[in-house]
Amino acid sequence: MKLHQQRTCIGCRTITSQDELLRWVLNQDSPLRGVHLDLSGAASGRGAWTHGTEKCVRHAVRRKAFSRAFRSSVDDSFVAQQFAAYEDQSATGRLSGNHDESGSEI
């Protein structure tokens, strides 16, 4: 039996399997120390986690949870834009679906 890693959403403070959360990382190279969405999960460094809902992301920004999670002052001004782009990309994927040559969904 494989154990799933548990993480806490910094927006709603609910403990959930990391498979159900989005990972955010701090861009150390940027002079503004911006927060970026890590969809691959391969970025190095400390991560902060939120549910993939606008409500949790908004709560995290409003509560300054990213600064606490990264233990540093950070620029989280682009978090909402990145999340909106993520939602658009996810919606496009759901609408197009995966089809084999016969046209039926896989």
Side-chain angles (χ1 to χ4, degrees):
M1 181 168 99
K2 181 180 176 185
L3 294 176
H4 294 284
Q5 296 290 324
Q6 299 289 302
R7 300 288 184 254
T8 301
C9 170
I10 63 171
C12 67
R13 305 293 301 155
T14 302
I15 297 173
T16 308
S17 169
Q18 97 180 21
D19 298 340
E20 299 175 28
L21 299 171
L22 298 176
R23 183 172 188 254
W24 299 84
V25 294
L26 184 62
N27 183 357
Q28 298 284 355
D29 299 331
S30 168
L32 298 176
R33 298 177 57 84
V35 177
H36 299 281
L37 190 55
D38 176 23
L39 295 177
S40 69
S44 63
R46 176 180 291 274
W49 302 82
T50 64
H51 283 103
T53 64
E54 184 180 356
K55 179 181 176 184
C56 284
V57 172
R58 220 180 10 201
H59 280 309
V61 171
R62 188 180 60 204
R63 295 176 46 241
K64 301 196 184 304
F66 288 103
S67 292
R68 278 193 305 282
F70 294 120
R71 300 176 183 162
S72 174
S73 62
V74 299
D75 179 12
D76 57 9
S77 61
F78 295 107
V79 168
Q81 290 175 331
Q82 290 180 50
F83 183 72
Y86 163 77
E87 280 188 315
D88 290 345
Q89 180 182 6
S90 295
T92 302
R94 284 192 304 266
L95 293 176
S96 66
N98 292 327
H99 300 281
D100 64 9
E101 291 178 11
S102 68
S104 64
E105 290 196 26
I106 298 175

